[in-house]
Amino acid sequence: MQYRRFGKTNLHFSVFSLGTMRYLANAKTAQKTIEKALSLGINHIETARGYGKSEEYLGAAIKAGLSVPRNQLYITTKIAPTPDADTMRHCIDESLQRLNLDYLDCLGIHGLNTPEHLEWVQAKNGCMQAVQKAVNDGRVKHVGFSTHASLDIILAAINTEFFEFINLHYYYFFQRNASAIQEATRKDMGVFIISPADKGGRLYTPPSTLKELCQPFTPLELNYRFLLSNNRITTLSVGAATPEELIAPLEFADDVGELTSAEIAVFEELENQQNMVLNTDKCSQCYACLPCPENINIPEVLRLRNLAVAYDMNDYGKYRYGMFENAGHWFPGMKGNRCTECGDCLPKCPENLDIPALLADTHERLNGKAGRRLWG
């Protein structure tokens, strides 16, 4: 296992962190998973108030005694932004009690996703007043935020100067937030990548087309290498629900060097495949088409179409497309069939895409069962 400095926190995290969103079974399985992670060199565990009984399960494991001393184990929990300090103060107290901890190494504002959330953290008597008090009295050591927001909100949150780290989405198949990572690095913030295996493309069950294109590597391996070769990124979450699910990801825990020529060649092949198959229908993800009068997240809809058409990533596309209209501010925007063909987006598109037709095509390809967040 390799370790990297988590920005200005000066904590050194393992390049894989144990994420606990999928602690669905029971406290006993959670404890076994935690102990397996520790035995494999993971020294950072990340949870949240919103993850079911995750805090309680982790707290039970801590109370029972872990194989790693407390001062060598870093624990993060996340709490949603609140409009007032009293609510945040209560949440911090309750999380510490659930976790059986005297202090948190890191507290993340969970889901800083909207302009309103940004207003709450900047308000004079808002939630950050309680967070700062917890820092001052030693119950919280370091403060950051997690986000599913649009890039402009992410950059604005980084520039509040309140935060020492950021948890965000960034993968080979979604590189929109590259400038946020660059800005966070400029401010010496730690960078935590959310769910690279799942949100990054459901790469643990890739389609055969993608598997063939990635040979001699696996799609999951390439995504891990894409991320770990970037020394601006500190750590990646691995959301294991059982000890066995830790084995495959952590095979790459020492492979953090620059991309090899063979890996670069595969990434070039993936790009060529997308250009060839999509041809003049490829959305380049410039975001110039927004805002949409019907609140359709056009770039994200067409990104999912790009992946489905080029690499047969239909299961992933349906999984993410089903979140539209069902996950609130965690995955905002309407589905493609909401398009009224008003034409507002057409003159904005530098590729002259027939956006209404592509939205309709995406809906036909990917619309299926409605989705929601695991702990929605």
Side-chain angles (χ1 to χ4, degrees):
M1 179 69 69
Q2 298 294 305
Y3 301 83
R4 286 178 173 170
R5 177 177 170 273
F6 196 45
K8 66 182 76 173
T9 71
N10 282 319
L11 305 176
H12 282 77
F13 282 1
S14 47
V15 294
F16 282 92
S17 294
L18 180 62
T20 63
M21 188 174 182
R22 295 178 59 240
Y23 278 0
L24 307 180
N26 50 60
K28 186 176 180 180
T29 301
Q31 184 166 3
K32 289 181 178 178
T33 305
I34 292 165
E35 283 294 359
K36 183 64 175 180
L38 298 179
S39 73
L40 293 170
I42 286 178
N43 70 350
H44 175 227
I45 301 175
E46 191 236 24
T47 186
R49 281 179 58 84
Y51 292 171
K53 292 188 175 182
S54 171
E55 283 187 335
E56 294 174 34
Y57 289 166
L58 177 53
I62 290 169
K63 186 175 183 178
L66 297 174
S67 58
V68 173
R70 174 68 180 99
N71 63 1
Q72 296 176 27
L73 175 64
Y74 304 118
I75 295 175
T76 296
T77 199
K78 304 190 299 296
I79 299 173
T82 63
D84 62 279
D86 285 343
T87 302
M88 178 60 73
R89 188 176 300 113
H90 168 76
C91 290
I92 293 171
D93 290 342
E94 191 171 67
S95 286
L96 284 167
Q97 184 177 22
R98 287 176 180 173
L99 289 163
N100 284 303
L101 292 176
D102 297 322
Y103 69 92
L104 291 165
D105 298 282
C106 296
L107 171 66
I109 302 301
H110 192 195
L112 208 168
N113 296 337
T114 70
E116 184 179 43
H117 294 157
L118 198 56
E119 290 174 7
W120 290 352
V121 302
Q122 292 177 300
K124 184 177 180 180
N125 297 312
C127 56
M128 295 305 290
Q129 183 186 66
V131 171
Q132 189 57 53
K133 184 177 185 302
V135 171
N136 292 343
D137 64 27
R139 290 178 299 143
V140 170
K141 303 300 183 184
H142 304 285
V143 181
F145 71 100
S146 71
T147 182
H148 297 230
S150 57
L151 181 58
D152 59 326
I153 293 175
I154 297 174
L155 292 171
I158 289 171
N159 284 298
T160 62
E161 309 291 347
F162 291 156
F163 303 113
E164 298 172 89
F165 64 88
I166 180 173
N167 301 9
L168 81 171
H169 295 279
Y170 176 75
Y171 323 106
Y172 174 71
F173 290 120
F174 178 75
Q175 298 182 38
R176 171 69 174 169
N177 290 334
S179 60
I181 291 176
Q182 182 177 356
E183 183 64 10
T185 303
R186 191 178 72 82
K187 292 185 176 293
D188 197 23
M189 294 171 66
V191 176
F192 177 110
I193 300 300
I194 300 169
S195 187
D198 186 64
K199 307 300 190 299
R202 279 200 165 177
L203 299 176
Y204 44 81
T205 54
S208 56
T209 297
L210 184 60
K211 286 196 287 188
E212 290 167 9
L213 286 165
C214 290
Q215 290 293 334
F217 311 102
T218 67
L220 185 57
E221 176 183 4
L222 282 172
N223 193 46
Y224 284 147
R225 287 288 297 123
F226 172 78
L227 295 169
L228 292 174
S229 66
N230 184 344
N231 59 18
R232 293 172 170 173
I233 293 170
T234 309
T235 188
L236 319 178
S237 71
V238 53
T242 66
E244 293 74 24
E245 291 182 1
L246 287 163
I247 305 302
L250 297 194
E251 289 178 0
F252 310 108
D254 286 317
D255 200 0
V256 300
E258 293 183 1
L259 293 174
T260 66
S261 58
E263 290 165 342
I264 292 169
V266 174
F267 285 125
E268 290 175 348
E269 177 62 24
L270 288 170
E271 184 66 20
N272 291 338
Q273 167 81 0
Q274 193 173 97
N275 291 335
M276 179 183 69
V277 174
L278 290 162
N279 199 2
T280 57
D281 285 345
K282 179 185 174 183
C283 172
S284 66
Q285 299 289 284
C286 70
Y287 282 63
C289 54
L290 296 181
C292 167
E294 303 304 322
N295 196 31
I296 299 168
N297 188 341
I298 297 170
E300 180 62 10
V301 172
L302 297 190
R303 181 182 77 92
L304 297 176
R305 183 183 185 277
N306 282 353
L307 299 178
V309 173
Y311 310 123
D312 293 334
M313 293 173 68
N314 295 296
D315 287 346
Y316 172 69
K318 290 175 181 177
Y319 158 52
R320 299 305 283 169
Y321 190 76
M323 303 289 279
F324 286 123
E325 306 180 27
N326 291 290
H329 60 75
W330 297 96
F331 201 75
M334 309 302 285
K335 293 185 175 181
N337 65 326
R338 303 289 185 175
C339 177
T340 62
E341 300 187 30
C342 70
D344 185 77
C345 57
L346 295 176
K348 301 176 186 176
C349 179
E351 280 114 7
N352 297 312
L353 296 178
D354 186 349
I355 292 174
L358 295 177
L359 292 175
D361 179 75
T362 306
H363 187 77
E364 184 176 349
R365 288 173 184 273
L366 301 181
N367 190 49
K369 184 179 178 181
R372 66 176 182 85
R373 296 182 67 244
L374 183 59
W375 298 111

